[in-house]
Coordinates of all heavy atoms in Angstrom, one line a residue:
I8 N 2.2 15.2 23.6 CA 2.0 15.3 22.2 C 3.1 14.5 21.5 O 4.3 14.8 21.8 CB 2.2 16.8 21.8 CG1 1.0 17.6 22.4 CG2 2.2 17.0 20.3 CD1 1.1 19.1 22.3
C29 N -2.0 24.2 30.6 CA -1.3 23.0 30.8 C 0.0 23.0 30.1 O 0.0 23.6 28.9 CB -2.1 21.8 30.3 SG -3.7 21.6 31.2
L43 N 17.1 12.5 21.5 CA 16.1 12.4 22.5 C 16.3 11.3 23.4 O 16.1 10.1 23.0 CB 14.8 12.3 21.9 CG 13.5 12.3 22.9 CD1 13.5 13.6 23.7 CD2 12.2 12.1 22.2
P44 N 16.8 11.4 24.6 CA 17.0 10.2 25.5 C 15.7 9.7 26.1 O 14.9 10.5 26.7 CB 17.9 10.7 26.6 CG 17.7 12.2 26.7 CD 17.3 12.6 25.2
I56 N 11.3 10.3 29.7 CA 11.7 11.1 28.5 C 12.5 12.3 28.9 O 12.0 13.1 29.7 CB 10.4 11.5 27.7 CG1 9.5 10.2 27.4 CG2 10.8 12.3 26.5 CD1 8.2 10.5 26.7
D90 N 23.4 2.9 3.2 CA 23.2 1.5 3.7 C 21.8 1.2 4.0 O 21.3 1.5 5.1 CB 24.0 1.3 5.0 CG 24.1 -0.2 5.4 OD1 23.2 -1.0 5.1 OD2 25.0 -0.6 6.1
S117 N -4.6 5.7 29.4 CA -4.6 7.1 28.9 C -5.5 7.4 27.7 O -5.5 6.5 26.8 CB -3.1 7.5 28.6 OG -2.3 7.3 29.6
T130 N -5.8 0.4 8.0 CA -5.3 -0.2 6.7 C -6.6 -0.2 5.8 O -7.6 -0.8 6.2 CB -4.8 -1.6 6.9 OG1 -3.8 -1.6 7.8 CG2 -4.4 -2.2 5.6
L135 N -12.5 -0.3 5.2 CA -13.7 -0.2 4.5 C -14.6 -1.5 4.8 O -15.9 -1.3 4.8 CB -13.3 -0.1 3.0 CG -14.3 0.8 2.3 CD1 -14.2 2.3 2.7 CD2 -14.0 0.8 0.8
A155 N -8.0 -9.9 -14.8 CA -9.3 -10.4 -15.1 C -10.4 -9.8 -14.1 O -11.5 -9.4 -14.5 CB -9.4 -11.9 -15.1
C161 N -14.6 -3.2 -13.6 CA -14.8 -2.0 -14.4 C -15.8 -2.2 -15.5 O -16.3 -1.1 -16.0 CB -13.4 -1.6 -15.1 SG -12.2 -1.1 -13.9
E181 N -9.9 4.8 -17.7 CA -10.2 4.9 -19.1 C -9.9 3.7 -19.9 O -9.4 2.8 -19.3 CB -9.5 6.1 -19.7 CG -9.7 7.4 -18.9 CD -8.9 8.6 -19.5 OE1 -8.2 8.4 -20.5 OE2 -9.0 9.7 -18.9
A195 N 3.7 -5.3 -10.5 CA 4.5 -4.6 -9.6 C 3.9 -4.3 -8.3 O 4.6 -4.4 -7.3 CB 5.0 -3.3 -10.3
V211 N -15.5 15.5 7.2 CA -16.3 15.5 8.4 C -15.2 15.3 9.6 O -14.5 14.3 9.6 CB -17.4 14.5 8.4 CG1 -18.1 14.5 9.8 CG2 -18.3 14.7 7.3
R223 N -17.9 21.2 2.9 CA -17.9 20.9 1.5 C -16.8 21.5 0.7 O -16.4 22.6 0.9 CB -19.2 21.4 0.9 CG -19.4 21.1 -0.6 CD -20.6 21.8 -1.2 NE -21.9 21.2 -0.8 CZ -22.7 21.9 -0.2 NH1 -22.5 23.2 0.1 NH2 -23.9 21.3 0.2
R237 N -13.1 26.3 -3.4 CA -13.4 26.8 -2.1 C -13.9 25.8 -1.2 O -14.2 24.7 -1.6 CB -14.6 27.9 -2.3 CG -15.9 27.4 -2.6 CD -17.0 28.5 -2.9 NE -18.3 28.0 -3.1 CZ -18.7 27.7 -4.3 NH1 -18.0 27.8 -5.3 NH2 -20.0 27.2 -4.4
I238 N -13.8 26.0 0.1 CA -14.2 25.1 1.1 C -15.3 25.8 2.0 O -15.0 27.0 2.5 CB -13.1 24.6 2.0 CG1 -12.0 24.0 1.1 CG2 -13.5 23.7 3.1 CD1 -10.7 23.6 1.8
I267 N -16.2 11.8 3.0 CA -17.4 11.2 2.4 C -17.7 11.8 1.1 O -17.2 13.0 0.9 CB -18.6 11.2 3.4 CG1 -19.0 12.7 3.6 CG2 -18.2 10.6 4.7 CD1 -20.2 12.8 4.5
D270 N -22.9 9.9 -4.1 CA -23.1 9.2 -5.4 C -24.0 10.0 -6.3 O -24.5 11.1 -5.9 CB -23.6 7.7 -5.2 CG -25.0 7.7 -4.6 OD1 -25.7 8.7 -4.5 OD2 -25.4 6.6 -4.1
R274 N -26.5 10.3 -2.3 CA -26.3 9.5 -1.1 C -24.8 9.4 -0.7 O -24.0 9.1 -1.5 CB -26.8 8.1 -1.3 CG -26.6 7.1 -0.1 CD -27.6 7.4 0.9 NE -27.6 6.4 2.0 CZ -27.0 6.5 3.2 NH1 -26.3 7.5 3.5 NH2 -27.1 5.4 4.0
G294 N -13.2 29.0 7.9 CA -13.5 29.8 9.1 C -14.1 29.0 10.2 O -15.1 29.5 10.8
P300 N -11.7 22.4 19.8 CA -12.4 21.3 20.4 C -11.5 20.1 20.8 O -11.6 19.4 21.6 CB -13.5 20.8 19.4 CG -13.7 22.2 18.7 CD -12.4 22.9 18.6

Side-chain angles (χ1 to χ4, degrees):
I8 295 171
C29 302
L43 181 67
I56 301 174
D90 190 334
S117 299
T130 304
L135 215 63
C161 293
E181 301 178 4
V211 183
R223 178 188 290 118
R237 67 180 186 277
I238 301 174
I267 64 176
D270 64 16
R274 178 75 168 102

